[in-house]
Short mmCIF file of all heavy atoms in Angstrom, two decimals:
data_model
loop_
_atom_site.label_atom_id
_atom_site.label_comp_id
_atom_site.label_asym_id
_atom_site.label_seq_id
_atom_site.Cartn_x
_atom_site.Cartn_y
_atom_site.Cartn_z
N ASP A 171 1.20 17.96 -5.38
CA ASP A 171 2.36 17.08 -5.53
C ASP A 171 1.94 15.62 -5.53
O ASP A 171 0.90 15.25 -4.99
CB ASP A 171 3.35 17.32 -4.40
CG ASP A 171 3.99 18.69 -4.45
OD1 ASP A 171 4.10 19.26 -5.54
OD2 ASP A 171 4.40 19.18 -3.37
N ARG A 172 2.80 14.80 -6.11
CA ARG A 172 2.60 13.37 -6.08
C ARG A 172 2.90 12.83 -4.68
O ARG A 172 3.93 13.14 -4.10
CB ARG A 172 3.51 12.70 -7.11
CG ARG A 172 3.19 11.25 -7.39
CD ARG A 172 4.07 10.71 -8.50
NE ARG A 172 3.94 11.47 -9.73
CZ ARG A 172 4.58 11.18 -10.86
NH1 ARG A 172 5.40 10.14 -10.91
NH2 ARG A 172 4.41 11.95 -11.92
N SER A 173 2.00 12.02 -4.13
CA SER A 173 2.15 11.55 -2.76
C SER A 173 1.85 10.06 -2.65
O SER A 173 1.13 9.49 -3.47
CB SER A 173 1.24 12.33 -1.81
OG SER A 173 -0.12 12.17 -2.16
N PHE A 174 2.39 9.46 -1.60
CA PHE A 174 2.26 8.03 -1.36
C PHE A 174 0.85 7.65 -0.99
O PHE A 174 0.19 8.33 -0.20
CB PHE A 174 3.22 7.64 -0.23
CG PHE A 174 3.15 6.21 0.20
CD1 PHE A 174 3.84 5.23 -0.48
CD2 PHE A 174 2.39 5.85 1.30
CE1 PHE A 174 3.78 3.91 -0.07
CE2 PHE A 174 2.33 4.54 1.72
CZ PHE A 174 3.02 3.57 1.02
N VAL A 175 0.37 6.54 -1.53
CA VAL A 175 -0.94 5.99 -1.19
C VAL A 175 -0.81 4.66 -0.46
O VAL A 175 -1.35 4.49 0.63
CB VAL A 175 -1.81 5.81 -2.44
CG1 VAL A 175 -3.15 5.17 -2.08
CG2 VAL A 175 -2.02 7.14 -3.15
N ALA A 176 -0.11 3.71 -1.05
CA ALA A 176 0.03 2.38 -0.48
C ALA A 176 1.26 1.70 -1.04
O ALA A 176 1.65 1.96 -2.18
CB ALA A 176 -1.21 1.53 -0.78
N GLY A 177 1.86 0.82 -0.25
CA GLY A 177 3.03 0.07 -0.69
C GLY A 177 2.95 -1.36 -0.21
O GLY A 177 2.23 -1.68 0.73
N ILE A 178 3.72 -2.23 -0.86
CA ILE A 178 3.72 -3.64 -0.51
C ILE A 178 5.12 -4.21 -0.71
O ILE A 178 5.77 -3.95 -1.72
CB ILE A 178 2.67 -4.42 -1.33
CG1 ILE A 178 2.56 -5.87 -0.84
CG2 ILE A 178 2.96 -4.37 -2.83
CD1 ILE A 178 1.32 -6.58 -1.38
N ARG A 179 5.60 -4.96 0.27
CA ARG A 179 6.83 -5.71 0.13
C ARG A 179 6.57 -6.89 -0.79
O ARG A 179 5.65 -7.69 -0.55
CB ARG A 179 7.30 -6.22 1.49
CG ARG A 179 7.99 -5.18 2.36
CD ARG A 179 9.48 -5.07 2.01
NE ARG A 179 10.16 -6.35 2.10
CZ ARG A 179 10.65 -6.87 3.23
NH1 ARG A 179 10.54 -6.20 4.38
NH2 ARG A 179 11.26 -8.05 3.21
N TRP A 180 7.36 -6.98 -1.85
CA TRP A 180 7.10 -8.00 -2.85
C TRP A 180 7.31 -9.41 -2.32
O TRP A 180 6.61 -10.34 -2.73
CB TRP A 180 7.96 -7.76 -4.09
CG TRP A 180 7.37 -8.34 -5.32
CD1 TRP A 180 7.79 -9.43 -6.01
CD2 TRP A 180 6.20 -7.86 -6.01
NE1 TRP A 180 6.98 -9.66 -7.08
CE2 TRP A 180 5.99 -8.72 -7.12
CE3 TRP A 180 5.33 -6.78 -5.80
CZ2 TRP A 180 4.94 -8.54 -8.00
CZ3 TRP A 180 4.28 -6.61 -6.69
CH2 TRP A 180 4.09 -7.48 -7.77
N ASP A 181 8.27 -9.60 -1.44
CA ASP A 181 8.59 -10.92 -0.94
C ASP A 181 7.63 -11.40 0.14
O ASP A 181 7.21 -12.57 0.12
CB ASP A 181 10.03 -10.98 -0.43
CG ASP A 181 10.34 -9.93 0.62
OD1 ASP A 181 9.55 -8.98 0.77
OD2 ASP A 181 11.39 -10.07 1.28
N THR A 182 7.26 -10.54 1.06
CA THR A 182 6.45 -10.94 2.20
C THR A 182 4.97 -10.61 2.06
O THR A 182 4.14 -11.21 2.74
CB THR A 182 6.95 -10.28 3.49
OG1 THR A 182 6.76 -8.87 3.40
CG2 THR A 182 8.44 -10.59 3.69
N GLY A 183 4.63 -9.63 1.24
CA GLY A 183 3.27 -9.17 1.14
C GLY A 183 2.86 -8.17 2.19
O GLY A 183 1.68 -7.79 2.24
N SER A 184 3.76 -7.73 3.05
CA SER A 184 3.45 -6.72 4.05
C SER A 184 3.01 -5.44 3.37
O SER A 184 3.60 -5.01 2.37
CB SER A 184 4.66 -6.44 4.93
OG SER A 184 5.04 -7.61 5.65
N THR A 185 1.98 -4.80 3.92
CA THR A 185 1.38 -3.63 3.28
C THR A 185 1.46 -2.40 4.17
O THR A 185 1.50 -2.50 5.40
CB THR A 185 -0.09 -3.90 2.92
OG1 THR A 185 -0.82 -4.24 4.10
CG2 THR A 185 -0.18 -5.04 1.91
N TYR A 186 1.42 -1.24 3.53
CA TYR A 186 1.54 0.05 4.19
C TYR A 186 0.62 1.03 3.48
O TYR A 186 0.53 1.03 2.25
CB TYR A 186 2.98 0.55 4.14
CG TYR A 186 3.99 -0.48 4.58
CD1 TYR A 186 4.51 -1.39 3.68
CD2 TYR A 186 4.38 -0.56 5.92
CE1 TYR A 186 5.42 -2.36 4.09
CE2 TYR A 186 5.28 -1.53 6.33
CZ TYR A 186 5.80 -2.43 5.41
OH TYR A 186 6.69 -3.39 5.82
N TYR A 187 -0.04 1.90 4.26
CA TYR A 187 -1.03 2.82 3.71
C TYR A 187 -0.87 4.21 4.30
O TYR A 187 -0.50 4.36 5.47
CB TYR A 187 -2.45 2.34 4.00
CG TYR A 187 -2.80 1.01 3.40
CD1 TYR A 187 -2.63 -0.16 4.12
CD2 TYR A 187 -3.31 0.93 2.11
CE1 TYR A 187 -2.95 -1.38 3.56
CE2 TYR A 187 -3.64 -0.28 1.55
CZ TYR A 187 -3.46 -1.44 2.29
OH TYR A 187 -3.78 -2.65 1.73
N THR A 188 -1.19 5.20 3.50
CA THR A 188 -1.35 6.53 4.04
C THR A 188 -2.67 6.57 4.82
O THR A 188 -3.61 5.85 4.51
CB THR A 188 -1.31 7.58 2.93
OG1 THR A 188 -1.17 8.88 3.50
CG2 THR A 188 -2.57 7.54 2.08
N ASP A 189 -2.73 7.41 5.85
CA ASP A 189 -3.85 7.39 6.78
C ASP A 189 -5.20 7.62 6.09
O ASP A 189 -6.22 7.03 6.48
CB ASP A 189 -3.66 8.44 7.87
CG ASP A 189 -2.61 8.06 8.88
OD1 ASP A 189 -2.23 6.88 8.92
OD2 ASP A 189 -2.17 8.94 9.63
N SER A 190 -5.24 8.45 5.09
CA SER A 190 -6.50 8.84 4.48
C SER A 190 -7.20 7.71 3.72
O SER A 190 -8.39 7.83 3.42
CB SER A 190 -6.31 10.04 3.55
OG SER A 190 -5.45 9.71 2.48
N VAL A 191 -6.49 6.63 3.41
CA VAL A 191 -7.09 5.53 2.65
C VAL A 191 -7.23 4.25 3.46
O VAL A 191 -7.80 3.27 2.96
CB VAL A 191 -6.32 5.24 1.35
CG1 VAL A 191 -6.13 6.52 0.54
CG2 VAL A 191 -4.98 4.58 1.64
N LYS A 192 -6.75 4.23 4.69
CA LYS A 192 -6.85 3.03 5.51
C LYS A 192 -8.31 2.64 5.71
O LYS A 192 -9.16 3.47 6.01
CB LYS A 192 -6.18 3.26 6.87
CG LYS A 192 -4.68 3.31 6.81
CD LYS A 192 -4.08 3.52 8.19
CE LYS A 192 -2.56 3.53 8.14
NZ LYS A 192 -1.97 3.79 9.47
N GLY A 193 -8.59 1.36 5.53
CA GLY A 193 -9.94 0.87 5.64
C GLY A 193 -10.76 0.97 4.38
O GLY A 193 -11.85 0.38 4.31
N ARG A 194 -10.27 1.70 3.38
CA ARG A 194 -10.99 1.85 2.12
C ARG A 194 -10.23 1.23 0.94
O ARG A 194 -10.86 0.67 0.04
CB ARG A 194 -11.24 3.32 1.81
CG ARG A 194 -12.08 4.03 2.86
CD ARG A 194 -12.50 5.41 2.37
NE ARG A 194 -11.35 6.28 2.14
CZ ARG A 194 -11.06 6.86 0.98
NH1 ARG A 194 -11.83 6.65 -0.07
NH2 ARG A 194 -10.00 7.65 0.87
N PHE A 195 -8.92 1.36 0.93
CA PHE A 195 -8.09 0.85 -0.17
C PHE A 195 -7.33 -0.39 0.29
O PHE A 195 -6.93 -0.49 1.45
CB PHE A 195 -7.07 1.89 -0.62
CG PHE A 195 -7.64 3.10 -1.31
CD1 PHE A 195 -9.00 3.35 -1.34
CD2 PHE A 195 -6.78 3.99 -1.93
CE1 PHE A 195 -9.51 4.47 -1.97
CE2 PHE A 195 -7.28 5.11 -2.57
CZ PHE A 195 -8.64 5.36 -2.59
N THR A 196 -7.10 -1.30 -0.64
CA THR A 196 -6.31 -2.50 -0.37
C THR A 196 -5.31 -2.71 -1.50
O THR A 196 -5.70 -2.82 -2.66
CB THR A 196 -7.20 -3.74 -0.25
OG1 THR A 196 -8.17 -3.54 0.78
CG2 THR A 196 -6.35 -4.96 0.10
N ILE A 197 -4.03 -2.77 -1.15
CA ILE A 197 -2.99 -3.07 -2.12
C ILE A 197 -2.68 -4.56 -2.06
O ILE A 197 -2.66 -5.16 -0.99
CB ILE A 197 -1.72 -2.23 -1.87
CG1 ILE A 197 -0.71 -2.40 -3.01
CG2 ILE A 197 -1.10 -2.54 -0.51
CD1 ILE A 197 0.47 -1.45 -2.93
N SER A 198 -2.45 -5.16 -3.21
CA SER A 198 -2.11 -6.57 -3.27
C SER A 198 -1.23 -6.83 -4.49
O SER A 198 -1.10 -5.97 -5.36
CB SER A 198 -3.37 -7.44 -3.32
OG SER A 198 -4.13 -7.17 -4.48
N ARG A 199 -0.62 -8.00 -4.50
CA ARG A 199 0.20 -8.36 -5.65
C ARG A 199 0.02 -9.82 -5.99
O ARG A 199 -0.34 -10.64 -5.13
CB ARG A 199 1.68 -8.02 -5.41
CG ARG A 199 2.62 -9.03 -4.74
CD ARG A 199 2.18 -9.62 -3.52
NE ARG A 199 3.24 -10.29 -2.77
CZ ARG A 199 3.03 -11.32 -1.98
NH1 ARG A 199 1.80 -11.81 -1.84
NH2 ARG A 199 4.03 -11.86 -1.31
N ASP A 200 0.26 -10.16 -7.24
CA ASP A 200 0.36 -11.52 -7.72
C ASP A 200 1.78 -11.66 -8.22
O ASP A 200 2.09 -11.29 -9.36
CB ASP A 200 -0.67 -11.78 -8.82
CG ASP A 200 -0.67 -13.22 -9.29
OD1 ASP A 200 0.33 -13.94 -9.07
OD2 ASP A 200 -1.67 -13.65 -9.89
#
């Protein structure tokens, strides 16, 4: 199934990660 990896609040830049990618993946936005 399709599952969540990472998310970001567009206004604040706050980030959220699934446990398996913490420390390895970084989400960001411009």
